[in-house]
Amino acid sequence: MKVNNVVTLDINSLSFDAMGIGKLDGKKIFVTNALPGEKIKAKIVQVKHDYAVGQVEEIIKRSPERNNGENDQWAKDGFDNLANLKYEYQLKFKHDRIMELLKQAGLADIKVKDTVPSPKQVGYRNQRLVYVRNYHGQLEFGFLKPYTHEFEPVDNFLTTDKQLSKVLMGIRDILREMKIPAYDPKTNTGFIRNVDVRRSNKTGEIMVILVTRQKDRPDLPRLYALLTEKMHDINGISMNYNPHQTEKIWGSSDIPLWGVDYLTEEINGLKFQISPQSYFQFNSLQAPVVRDIAIKEADIQPDDVVIDAYSGVGTIGLLAAKKAKEVRGIETVVASVRDARRNAENNQIDNAKFFKGNADQVLARWNKQ
């Protein structure tokens, strides 16, 4: 088996990341846009010692669980491996994946409830990060295809909030108008590497982060003047400086350019400030539902000490602090720890503390105390 070979496969199952799995000559083949029960022709794009990766070339026999061909391109490109699956089966896949993880951890006896559907199935993401590249002589926004790292331009963002998608296309058009050069990873040249946009579901505020190879350009003031003139919902523009020839997206320093350098979101009466490199639940409409379930199922008592591992900007931990004696949050990302501490202070919550570190290591240290 070699790269670019086209093989015929029967797909038997889905992988952890929702790729179809078939077998050939005793070797597993992971295929984007393939579903269990399907017979396909796949083009091999990567070959390893014990597995290979392929892309669907032709579907010979279609699964009845396939989403009637809608949104197949997103699954085909590997940008959303579940886009080809009817929503009820997406929910089942997520449920089964949790069960499998528990089984692997020796916790198969734990009951897993049904996955709670999202209020919106498309257009729900409040954040979208894109790559910026020169494609056929023109600056484009898009993604890197999994395993091949081939750049694919995108101008229709299936799962992203419509207002954010509009802002992204507006930023792209302004960058083209100003002839700002896109990043070239092969030569480590060009200026703009990535664009990240985030929107608060509560306030409608939008934050724009420009990931750049250089710290400055003479036309930067004109750039953010045009952005704020044409898109009035933007409340802050920041620059993240990453000069290195690396696959890592984020550099170490964030530089405020205009407005505020954070986004404000609200959940269950608490306000959360989110800085450029901090993680926040992408599905703003589902976030309160998830947190309500977590707090309810935890059945927190007034004398409890709650550990919030992977605490992010403190959303679950600060909500739990209303019921608990004490909350301790653990997070590896410095910016998120800083945001969580600031959010505790801003919400006048004094029984929640947040610590930087690996959750396993910090918990082991606390256990010895």
Side-chain angles (χ1 to χ4, degrees), residues 309-343:
Y310 317 102
S311 53
V313 299
T315 49
I316 292 180
L318 293 179
L319 290 168
K322 293 181 177 182
K323 297 176 175 291
K325 175 183 177 181
E326 179 186 355
V327 169
R328 300 182 187 181
I330 311 168
E331 173 60 56
T332 59
V333 179
V334 175
S336 293
V337 176
R338 187 164 53 242
D339 284 347
R341 291 170 177 170
R342 178 170 58 181
N343 290 332

Side-chain angles (χ1 to χ4, degrees), residues 7-11 31 34 38-42 56 58-60:
V7 300
T8 301
L9 297 170
D10 291 315
I11 303 301
V31 187
E38 293 187 331
K39 181 185 255 338
I40 64 162
K41 288 185 178 180
V56 170
E58 179 186 350
I59 301 175
I60 300 169

Side-chain angles (χ1 to χ4, degrees), residues 296-316:
K296 180 181 177 182
E297 293 296 322
D299 190 25
I300 300 168
Q301 301 301 312
D303 289 333
D304 286 343
V305 175
V306 175
I307 304 297
D308 182 8
Y310 317 102
S311 53
V313 299
T315 49
I316 292 180

Side-chain angles (χ1 to χ4, degrees), residues 59-335:
I59 301 175
I60 300 169
K61 176 187 174 185
R62 299 174 73 88
S63 166
E65 297 178 3
R66 182 172 284 275
N67 195 17
N68 298 321
E70 299 174 12
N71 307 323
D72 268 11
Q73 191 62 41
W74 276 74
K76 182 179 179 181
D77 291 335
F79 303 149
D80 185 345
N81 285 341
L82 290 176
N84 56 6
L85 196 60
K86 291 179 181 178
Y87 191 61
E88 61 266 34
Y89 296 107
Q90 293 184 30
L91 298 177
K92 183 179 183 302
F93 168 79
K94 293 175 181 180
H95 173 272
D96 292 348
R97 189 168 72 168
I98 296 300
M99 289 182 63
E100 179 60 29
L101 287 171
L102 290 171
K103 181 179 178 181
Q104 292 175 13
L107 301 170
D109 56 331
I110 293 179
K111 183 179 179 181
V112 179
K113 295 183 179 181
D114 291 341
T115 309
V116 179
S118 170
K120 293 179 69 175
Q121 297 174 24
V122 296
Y124 57 82
R125 284 182 64 107
N126 62 7
Q127 184 265 355
R128 175 60 73 188
L129 184 143
V130 295
Y131 288 80
V132 185
R133 297 292 184 266
N134 189 299
Y135 188 80
H136 294 170
Q138 181 166 250
L139 182 145
E140 294 280 7
F141 284 5
F143 303 126
L144 302 184
K145 290 185 178 181
Y147 303 101
T148 66
H149 293 288
E150 176 185 344
F151 176 78
E152 181 73 20
V154 176
D155 59 11
N156 177 26
F157 300 92
L158 173 69
T159 57
T160 304
D161 174 88
K162 288 183 178 180
Q163 182 63 20
L164 268 192
S165 296
K166 183 179 178 181
V167 168
L168 272 173
M169 294 297 95
I171 296 171
R172 182 201 63 183
D173 293 345
I174 289 171
L175 293 173
R176 287 177 178 175
E177 175 188 334
M178 293 183 60
K179 295 181 170 54
I180 292 179
Y183 180 66
D184 185 339
K186 294 181 180 178
T187 59
N188 197 32
T189 57
F191 180 71
I192 190 153
R193 306 170 66 119
N194 301 85
V195 172
D196 186 18
V197 291
R198 305 182 181 194
R199 181 176 184 270
S200 166
N201 183 62
K202 185 68 176 181
T203 67
E205 298 173 347
I206 291 174
M207 176 169 61
V208 175
I209 305 107
L210 308 174
V211 184
T212 64
R213 187 186 64 85
Q214 297 166 302
K215 274 190 175 180
D216 199 7
R217 278 179 64 90
D219 51 4
L220 267 182
R222 179 167 175 254
L223 172 60
Y224 55 74
L226 284 173
L227 290 176
T228 54
E229 176 186 326
K230 295 186 177 184
M231 288 165 279
H232 301 296
D233 290 334
I234 294 176
N235 76 310
I237 303 172
S238 294
M239 174 193 293
N240 179 268
Y241 171 55
N242 182 0
H244 305 294
Q245 192 169 14
T246 173
E247 293 184 358
K248 291 182 178 180
I249 293 173
W250 299 102
S252 58
S253 60
D254 296 311
I255 304 169
L257 296 178
W258 179 89
V260 296
D261 60 347
Y262 58 85
L263 195 68
T264 302
E265 190 57 274
E266 184 175 328
I267 296 179
N268 294 357
L270 297 183
K271 291 185 177 180
F272 298 92
Q273 291 186 5
I274 308 151
S275 58
Q277 293 191 55
S278 290
Y279 170 79
F280 190 77
Q281 171 58 247
F282 296 146
N283 190 337
S284 293
L285 298 175
Q286 188 76 327
V289 179
V290 172
R291 275 121 179 106
D292 284 349
I293 292 173
I295 298 299
K296 180 181 177 182
E297 293 296 322
D299 190 25
I300 300 168
Q301 301 301 312
D303 289 333
D304 286 343
V305 175
V306 175
I307 304 297
D308 182 8
Y310 317 102
S311 53
V313 299
T315 49
I316 292 180
L318 293 179
L319 290 168
K322 293 181 177 182
K323 297 176 175 291
K325 175 183 177 181
E326 179 186 355
V327 169
R328 300 182 187 181
I330 311 168
E331 173 60 56
T332 59
V333 179
V334 175

